[in-house]
């Protein structure tokens, strides 16, 4: 499976392919620099609880590039929108629609621009998450290899996975411990198991 290399700044890009009835276009990105647009947010109900989505909207109107997806009680994430964020459901309507289809078992990948913020190392690890196919899992060591990192970097890789700002969209739930344990998921192991069950077909 191919992936699009993420960049720190510049405009976002999108691309898509389809297979059968489920859309399989990947969510592709370039990041945006701080201050390059307005941060907007919305909420959506999901089987994981009420998710908060935020994104960067260029100018005053138009769709936003998705920056974060967080679940209630998620570690290392804001529990509420920041004071200077603007509530704008329309700007994030496409990510909400695609996530809704994903939860219904109708979509296996995502096709909208992303704008995650992180160090160069973390962005490489997050980009490698895109290469894990739907319904499959890898270990942290295998993810390090996918990202071109040394196996000795597995602890740092785990830290990057735990800091993934794009829950579900960047599928960190597909990364397991070396012994197959459900570890390292900031939104909780029960939610990780639910997502893996969804992707295995066990829920439909």
């Amino acid at each position: 499976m191919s992936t699009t290399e993420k960049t720190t700044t510049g405009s976002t890009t999108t691309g898509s392919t389809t297979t059968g009835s489920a859309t399989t276009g990947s969510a592709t990105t370039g990041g945006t620099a701080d201050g390059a647009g307005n941060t907007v947010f919305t909420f959506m109900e999901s089987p994981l609880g009420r998710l908060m989505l935020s994104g960067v909207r260029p100018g005053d109107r138009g769709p936003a590039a998705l920056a974060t997806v967080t679940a209630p009680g998620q570690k290392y994430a804001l529990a509420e929108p920041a004071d200077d964020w603007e509530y704008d459901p329309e700007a994030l309507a496409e990510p909400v629609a695609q996530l809704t289809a994903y939860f219904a078992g109708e979509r296996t990948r995502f096709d909208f621009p992303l704008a995650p913020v992180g160090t160069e190392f973390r962005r490489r690890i997050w980009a490698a998450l895109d290469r894990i196919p739907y319904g499959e899992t890898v270990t942290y060591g295998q993810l390090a290899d996918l990202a071109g990192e040394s196996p000795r970097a597995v602890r740092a890789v785990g830290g990057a996975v735990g800091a993934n700002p794009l829950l579900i969209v960047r599928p960190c739930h597909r990364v397991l411990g070396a012994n197959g344990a459900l570890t390292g998921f900031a939104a909780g192991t029960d939610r990780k198991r639910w997502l893996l069950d969804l992707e295995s077909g066990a829920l439909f």
Side-chain angles (χ1 to χ4, degrees):
M1 176 173 62
S2 64
T3 188
T4 302
E5 183 64 26
K6 280 61 181 176
T7 58
T8 309
T9 61
S11 59
T12 56
T13 59
T14 60
S16 65
T17 58
T18 57
T19 299
S21 60
T23 300
T24 59
S26 62
T28 59
T29 82
T32 59
D34 291 343
N38 300 320
T39 300
V40 296
F41 75 96
T42 192
F43 296 100
M44 68 173 288
E45 299 301 326
S46 83
L48 306 186
R50 192 186 195 205
L51 303 181
M52 182 172 69
L53 287 67
S54 74
V56 179
R57 185 191 63 202
D60 294 331
R61 293 291 181 268
L66 190 66
T68 67
V69 178
T70 57
Q74 182 176 331
K75 294 186 291 186
Y76 319 122
L78 289 176
E80 299 291 339
D83 291 341
D84 59 347
W85 292 6
E86 177 185 347
Y87 181 64
D88 189 348
E90 184 176 348
L92 292 162
E94 187 60 29
V96 168
Q98 293 191 27
L99 282 164
T100 299
Y102 168 85
F103 287 126
E106 299 169 353
R107 176 174 285 271
T108 61
R109 293 172 67 191
F110 302 98
D111 180 20
F112 44 73
L114 306 178
V117 175
T119 65
E120 182 180 351
F121 174 80
R122 286 186 171 183
R123 290 196 308 274
R124 286 201 305 272
I125 303 305
W126 299 339
L129 291 171
D130 293 341
R131 299 174 62 188
I132 309 172
Y134 182 95
E136 298 184 19
T137 59
V138 301
T139 65
Y140 288 93
Q142 289 170 326
L143 180 62
D145 185 61
L146 283 174
E149 298 293 334
S150 166
R152 294 190 298 273
V154 66
R155 180 168 295 183
V157 168
V161 171
N164 172 31
L166 288 160
L167 190 74
I168 306 161
V169 176
R170 284 274 171 77
C172 54
H173 57 277
R174 298 176 192 161
V175 186
L176 307 179
N179 61 355
L182 302 182
T183 60
F185 193 57
T189 55
D190 288 346
R191 288 173 173 142
K192 184 168 187 169
R193 170 53 63 193
W194 190 93
L195 291 167
L196 293 174
D197 286 347
L198 169 68
E199 295 186 0
S200 72
L203 301 182
F204 294 98

